[in-house]
Amino acid sequence: MSAFAPARRLTRIFDTDLWWSFTRSPTVVASAVIAVALIGSAAFAPWVAPHNPFDLATLNLLDAFTPPIWLEGGDARFLLGTDDQGRDVLSTILYGARISLFVGFCSVLFAMTLGVSIGLVAGYAGGTVDAVLMRIADIKLTFPAILIALLVDGIVRAVLPRELHDRIAIWVLIFAIGISNWVPFARTVRGSTMVEKNKEYVMAARVIGLSPARIMWSHVLPNVLGPVLVIATLQLGFAILAEATLSFLGVGVPPTQPSLGTLIRVGNDFLFSGEWWITVFPGTALATMVLSVNLLGDWLRDALNPKLR
Amino acid sequence: MPPDGARSLVTEALVEVEDLAREFDISRPWLFRVLNGEPRRIVHAVAGVSFTIPRGTTLSLVGESGCGKTTVARLVVGLYRPTRGRIRFDGVDLTALAANDAARAIRRRIAMIFQDPYASLNPRWRVRDIVAEPLRAFRVLEDERAVAERVAALLGHVGLSPKDGEKFPHEFSGGQRQRISIARALSATPDFLVCDEPTSALDVSVQAQILNLMKDLQEELSLTYLFISHNLAVVRHMSDRIGVMYLGRMVEVAPTDALFEAPRHPYTRMLLDAIPDLEMTGRRRSPVGGEVPSPIAPPPGCAFHPRCPFANARCRSEVPRLRAEGDALVACHAVEEGRDAA
């Protein structure tokens, strides 16, 4: 009986309203396919990419500034051309997207953990605790996210020696983006928690003397996670963009591990000298990735909203 | 100390509630109050209620919405801290309990059944975990195998199949959910069940099944019930004694038959007159006149005086106390003075 359980779970997914609303919109299916393809090829970049752009042995400066394959002077080895150091643009995009996605996922995860915890405590405790936490959230919202990220990065740069900073730069970036995005999670979770905590199942748990922490974790949390999923999806696009912005400004990941933002910045220098492909293709990849993720997030928000069904 | 004659009664009581009161502060935020010169606003949800429940019997609390019966239920199970008064359970003062193992042992013996079976079961939990939760919380059974056996037995006991433990609450009807609720309440083998309108959210056809199940369980497990309801028919079926509440106070406590045959308090009479009666179809029933006054600013004296046909000057100034009147306790100046003949 248990051997069939996974198969049955799979059919259950295909039976749901969610799946039905998914298949009904070609836009959503298309963006899901694109998102999965981009994320998949970025995640498996070392196996998918035609070259390893970081392997100095295979680089040849004579290959520099090769245009894309369909233009005059294109080379069959470099589908989307090469950059100023003879690196294959397609490969750098895949490797770069890998870093962008890693930073995006990790910072959303961090923002989600922080925001959900703060929202749960504020909503469940209420009163002064709630007021203090929400005022902190209000104050946080008065600073643009990029400013906070720049601030965090600046402080870390000033405090740590350069070598150490380069090694942990990616984690600083994740922290900086995450810390500037926890408020939407906290607000949403606080609201749903305030609704859930007055329901009788929470009272039933209080009657048997469970601690507030235990009630928040095992009773309230599972019931407030639905909207969190939607926000996380929407925030993923934002986090990827924030990373690209910071890297474009030169305060993101070090050039030795270029993300999409770094690639765009580097390629920007050659835009007016005619080698447009060095910056346009990473830019297109970034825009496509963020757009498909955002479209998925929008659909998820509508599909999970019972009032819009 | 109570006189000797009363002592045997006292020792038989499982639950004794004395002058229980609870106020809620519903004032606006401090800054708003200061700016607008508004006073604090306090709701006297329960304003000094006393009753005792003998072991193995059912006391019902009835009254209109907002009379404080649900607040009493929540005070008794410890969801709210009382503003004033005592709740003694088997001789132990619950209001003075510290949070320790002794308190846990007492709390294990008190369980609650809630009004809305659609809200009282966590939608994300499997039924077997819902029913097992008190067992785990009070560490009644340590061994998971024993827990599973106990859950299966409990589900069978309340008329469900042990296989239902695998399902989620949304796969059940309202009546079945209330059975799950009862199974959960019984799982840690309590002596005392507080039932807050357990059937008011159910179809009439299902209400009787749940009520009969509760009566059978009471007999079998010698349970004591505090039963909250606004449905007088349900209350008549379930209770040994009935307490009638009005605006946070108890106005009459009487054995069930006595209350229905000879209601004393004018409010109780009003409530009973409003019951639909099959034999009297077509007769215009006398409605309960007037509205319940606001518990924020309750009327002085007897809270019922604005709606009472027998009210006089004393009723408007002096709060009546519960007095023995035959086998009932009644809080009414008119009954006391014999000017209640309609």
Side-chain angles (χ1 to χ4, degrees):
Chain A
M1 174 195 146
S2 59
F4 295 106
R8 206 183 304 141
R9 191 163 297 167
L10 209 62
T11 44
R12 214 189 288 162
I13 289 175
F14 292 124
D15 272 346
T16 53
D17 294 353
L18 204 63
W19 180 255
W20 178 80
S21 95
F22 177 77
T23 52
R24 238 168 43 107
S25 160
T27 324
V28 171
V29 176
S31 47
V33 169
I34 291 172
V36 168
L38 276 173
I39 293 173
S41 54
F44 298 105
W47 295 276
V48 178
H51 302 272
N52 181 353
F54 303 112
D55 183 3
L56 295 174
T58 64
L59 290 184
N60 188 344
L61 273 180
L62 291 177
D63 292 331
F65 300 120
T66 310
I69 190 167
W70 58 89
L71 292 180
E72 206 185 319
D75 188 321
R77 285 178 299 154
F78 308 115
L79 191 62
L80 301 178
T82 60
D83 66 1
D84 58 322
Q85 301 185 38
R87 291 185 294 204
D88 176 37
V89 168
L90 177 62
S91 304
T92 52
I93 289 175
L94 291 179
Y95 275 85
R98 201 177 181 213
I99 291 168
S100 292
L101 278 169
F102 178 75
V103 172
F105 272 116
C106 290
S107 59
V108 167
L109 205 64
F110 175 59
M112 188 166 90
T113 315
L114 188 67
V116 168
S117 317
I118 291 178
L120 265 180
V121 171
Y124 193 79
T128 320
V129 177
D130 178 35
V132 168
L133 287 174
M134 284 303 110
R135 287 309 78 75
I136 292 175
D138 288 342
I139 293 167
K140 211 254 93 205
L141 278 189
T142 61
F143 298 102
I146 289 294
L147 189 65
I148 292 180
L150 279 172
L151 191 74
V152 171
D153 186 76
I155 293 173
V156 175
R157 246 169 233 275
V159 170
L160 296 180
R162 189 185 162 106
E163 199 181 315
L164 181 61
H165 175 265
D166 273 2
R167 219 174 330 126
I168 61 160
I170 201 162
W171 300 106
V172 174
L173 199 60
I174 288 169
F175 175 79
I177 298 173
I179 201 87
S180 54
N181 288 334
W182 60 269
V183 174
F185 291 102
R187 288 222 163 137
T188 313
V189 168
R190 169 183 175 261
S192 340
T193 303
M194 286 165 74
V195 173
E196 295 297 323
K197 80 166 174 186
N198 288 322
K199 290 200 178 159
E200 287 175 344
Y201 72 86
V202 173
M203 287 187 197
R206 284 171 58 202
V207 169
I208 57 174
L210 293 189
S211 69
R214 182 100 180 267
I215 293 175
M216 278 189 258
W217 176 256
S218 54
H219 281 285
V220 180
L221 185 63
N223 286 294
V224 299
L225 274 185
V228 168
L229 195 69
V230 175
I231 302 175
T233 318
L234 290 170
Q235 290 277 326
L236 178 62
F238 181 84
I240 292 171
L241 274 186
E243 185 278 327
T245 313
L246 289 171
S247 294
F248 185 81
L249 295 173
V251 294
V253 288
T256 48
Q257 304 168 281
S259 70
L260 286 178
T262 325
L263 293 177
I264 295 169
R265 171 171 59 105
V266 172
N268 208 26
D269 298 341
F270 306 103
L271 191 55
F272 293 106
S273 55
E275 288 89 12
W276 52 267
W277 57 88
I278 302 177
T279 191
V280 166
F281 289 127
T284 314
L286 178 70
T288 316
M289 193 153 78
V290 172
L291 185 66
S292 59
V293 168
N294 276 352
L295 283 173
L296 276 181
D298 275 342
W299 159 76
L300 199 60
R301 182 185 56 200
D302 293 348
L304 291 179
N305 186 346
K307 282 180 199 146
L308 288 178
R309 274 211 189 121
Chain B
M1 281 306 284
D4 275 343
R7 188 175 291 162
S8 62
L9 274 177
V10 170
T11 47
E12 264 191 40
L14 182 66
V15 181
E16 297 160 81
V17 168
E18 223 180 281
D19 192 30
L20 190 66
R22 169 72 201 202
E23 292 164 357
F24 291 104
D25 188 344
I26 54 153
S27 317
R28 308 258 210 154
W30 172 83
L31 191 64
F32 190 92
R33 282 203 318 272
V34 171
L35 292 179
N36 289 292
E38 257 185 32
R40 278 190 166 276
R41 306 206 308 163
I42 308 276
V43 178
H44 304 270
V46 177
V49 163
S50 306
F51 57 83
T52 60
I53 313 177
R55 224 173 268 275
T57 66
T58 302
L59 172 74
S60 291
L61 295 182
V62 295
E64 285 162 289
S65 307
C67 69
K69 47 194 197 302
T70 293
T71 308
V72 169
R74 292 184 179 172
L75 283 164
V76 170
V77 295
L79 280 173
Y80 298 147
R81 296 208 136 269
T83 312
R84 191 177 78 223
R86 300 204 172 287
I87 305 163
R88 254 191 292 276
F89 178 80
D90 210 1
V92 182
D93 187 351
L94 294 181
T95 51
L97 270 188
N100 55 24
D101 287 351
R104 224 179 221 306
I106 292 286
R107 291 274 174 225
R108 183 192 64 75
R109 299 173 57 195
I110 304 173
M112 185 159 185
I113 299 173
F114 292 89
Q115 175 175 6
D116 182 358
Y118 292 88
S120 63
L121 307 174
N122 190 332
R124 305 270 163 182
W125 281 33
R126 284 182 197 279
V127 167
R128 58 157 195 256
D129 293 320
I130 292 174
V131 174
E133 197 182 17
L135 292 174
R136 294 184 178 132
F138 292 116
R139 301 195 193 95
V140 179
L141 296 170
E142 296 290 346
D143 177 28
E144 277 305 307
R145 214 194 177 82
V147 170
E149 273 169 25
R150 174 106 178 104
V151 168
L154 279 162
L155 287 175
H157 214 137
V158 298
L160 294 169
S161 153
K163 275 189 215 143
D164 289 337
E166 293 301 314
K167 297 184 188 163
F168 285 96
H170 68 84
E171 299 174 57
F172 295 90
S173 69
Q176 287 172 319
R177 285 170 185 230
Q178 208 55 306
R179 288 174 191 268
I180 297 169
S181 226
I182 293 171
R184 166 177 64 187
L186 293 177
S187 71
T189 58
D191 306 318
F192 178 46
L193 246 60
V194 176
C195 318
D196 184 10
E197 309 216 20
T199 59
S200 65
L202 302 178
D203 287 350
V204 179
S205 55
V206 183
Q207 285 191 4
Q209 294 174 14
I210 296 296
L211 293 173
N212 287 334
L213 172 67
M214 290 178 64
K215 277 200 102 161
D216 293 346
L217 290 168
Q218 177 172 38
E219 211 160 296
E220 194 182 327
L221 307 168
S222 55
L223 297 168
T224 307
Y225 285 155
L226 173 62
F227 195 93
I228 312 289
S229 183
H230 58 248
N231 185 332
L232 288 163
V234 165
V235 160
R236 186 172 198 171
H237 180 68
M238 289 299 290
S239 349
D240 297 297
R241 272 146 41 89
I242 297 174
V244 181
M245 283 186 70
Y246 187 77
L247 222 62
R249 290 207 176 85
M250 198 77 97
V251 295
E252 178 164 2
V253 186
T256 304
D257 291 340
L259 188 101
F260 277 91
E261 272 149 33
R264 317 269 175 150
H265 196 281
Y267 177 61
T268 316
R269 296 185 209 173
M270 215 170 183
L271 278 182
L272 292 182
D273 277 347
I275 302 179
D277 187 343
L278 271 184
E279 286 156 31
M280 306 271 275
T281 323
R283 173 186 69 118
R284 243 189 102 69
R285 297 197 306 275
S286 50
V288 176
E291 285 285 317
V292 186
S294 158
I296 298 170
C302 173
F304 187 60
H305 81 250
R307 296 165 78 184
C308 181
F310 313 117
N312 66 7
R314 188 183 172 202
C315 299
R316 280 185 278 276
S317 59
E318 188 187 328
V319 179
R321 309 240 141 248
L322 274 179
R323 290 174 55 261
E325 205 52 62
D327 47 6
L329 294 169
V330 185
C332 177
H333 299 311
V335 171
E336 182 190 347
E337 293 164 16
R339 52 183 167 81
D340 62 328

